[in-house]
Amino acid sequence: MNKLAYFLLLFVLLSASCNQKNGTGENSSGSAKNKGLQDAAINPDQRELIVAELKQMQQAFGDKDVNKIEKYFIFPLADSTLSIYEVNEDFDLARKSTGGNISRDLFVKNFNDIYDYFQMGGFSDLFKAVDLDELKSKQEVTSEHHVKDESCYTFYRISIEGDMVNLQYGTNSDQAYREAHPDEEEVCGESAFNWLFKLEGNKLRFIKEMTAG
């Protein structure tokens, strides 16, 4: 199973878990089987708010503005919400002393290293690759960027289920390249970043990040 398929499956399972906690698991599961019905049941006001929040997020990451970006997170960040290991010596020691939790000050102070660690430039590429306004009437928007004779392609996806918003970006093996180079066992250093947010009140709040590769 490639990383894109893995994350799609993982997101479905995680969303189902979150919906069950909200008491909406049964209805969400049923509607997920029929995308047409789900899209027809979109709450226009909620979608307008989510899209507006995503556009604000686009601006924040485009500017690489830590003061705007940190507002999407609730601190301290629990160790279980981020797949983060070795960032830099000071950061790692500070996290160890707090049981793995990340305070706002620690996040802001080490933001550049955290940004590089999670390849957060992918957020800006993601927002450039899709039309956010389409999410007002669609459950998801996706985009792929293939380059001839390149072993990897980049993929981008934003999906919404109720008040949960999933953002994905990464690289995967290009099938055309694989077919043209059957003797190469590994043609691409695949990677995938998956960020789950939830609309709370009128703000998107970070829930969990998952990384592969």
Side-chain angles (χ1 to χ4, degrees):
M1 180 183 295
N2 64 36
K3 289 184 174 63
L4 178 56
Y6 166 78
F7 268 121
L8 291 176
L9 175 60
L10 191 60
F11 172 64
V12 170
L13 295 175
L14 183 59
S15 295
S17 174
C18 291
N19 284 331
Q20 287 174 355
K21 291 179 181 178
N22 292 335
T24 60
E26 182 176 350
N27 291 336
S28 295
S29 176
S31 62
K33 296 177 182 178
N34 190 322
K35 184 176 181 296
L37 289 178
Q38 189 174 53
D39 287 350
I42 288 173
N43 180 327
D45 293 336
Q46 184 185 62
R47 281 302 178 90
E48 287 279 355
L49 186 53
I50 288 175
V51 170
E53 277 291 286
L54 287 172
K55 289 181 178 180
Q56 291 292 324
M57 187 183 292
Q58 178 181 19
Q59 183 68 46
F61 278 99
D63 294 340
K64 198 178 176 181
D65 189 334
V66 63
N67 293 315
K68 293 179 181 178
I69 292 172
E70 61 94 4
K71 296 186 184 302
Y72 295 101
F73 299 84
I74 297 177
F75 297 97
L77 289 171
D79 181 59
S80 60
T81 63
L82 288 168
S83 53
I84 190 168
Y85 301 100
E86 296 180 356
V87 174
N88 63 53
E89 185 176 357
D90 291 340
F91 178 85
D92 299 338
L93 287 173
R95 280 186 66 227
K96 186 176 181 180
S97 69
T98 60
N101 294 334
I102 302 173
S103 68
R104 179 189 178 279
D105 288 344
L106 191 61
F107 181 89
V108 171
K109 182 179 179 181
N110 295 274
F111 177 70
N112 286 334
D113 286 341
I114 293 172
Y115 185 95
D116 292 340
Y117 183 92
F118 287 112
Q119 299 178 31
M120 285 183 171
F123 276 100
S124 293
D125 295 335
L126 166 62
F127 290 128
K128 291 176 182 176
V130 301
D131 184 350
L132 293 177
D133 285 320
E134 290 187 6
L135 288 168
K136 294 177 182 178
S137 59
K138 293 182 178 180
Q139 181 183 357
E140 68 176 39
V141 289
T142 63
S143 178
E144 294 181 357
H145 180 61
H146 296 258
V147 178
K148 187 177 181 180
D149 296 327
E150 288 287 338
S151 60
C152 295
Y153 72 91
T154 52
F155 64 86
Y156 307 97
R157 178 176 182 263
I158 301 178
S159 61
I160 302 174
E161 185 172 347
D163 56 4
M164 306 299 293
V165 183
N166 186 52
L167 294 89
Q168 298 174 331
Y169 55 87
T171 59
N172 212 340
S173 298
D174 188 282
Q175 186 60 33
Y177 185 91
R178 276 186 175 277
E179 293 173 356
H181 302 81
D183 296 333
E184 295 187 25
E185 293 185 5
E186 184 175 344
V187 300
C188 176
E190 298 176 356
S191 65
F193 296 87
N194 187 87
W195 299 81
L196 186 64
F197 293 83
K198 181 179 180 180
L199 186 68
E200 296 184 350
N202 60 352
K203 297 292 183 182
L204 283 177
R205 299 298 187 194
F206 170 75
I207 299 297
K208 190 175 182 63
E209 173 276 332
M210 294 162 284
T211 298

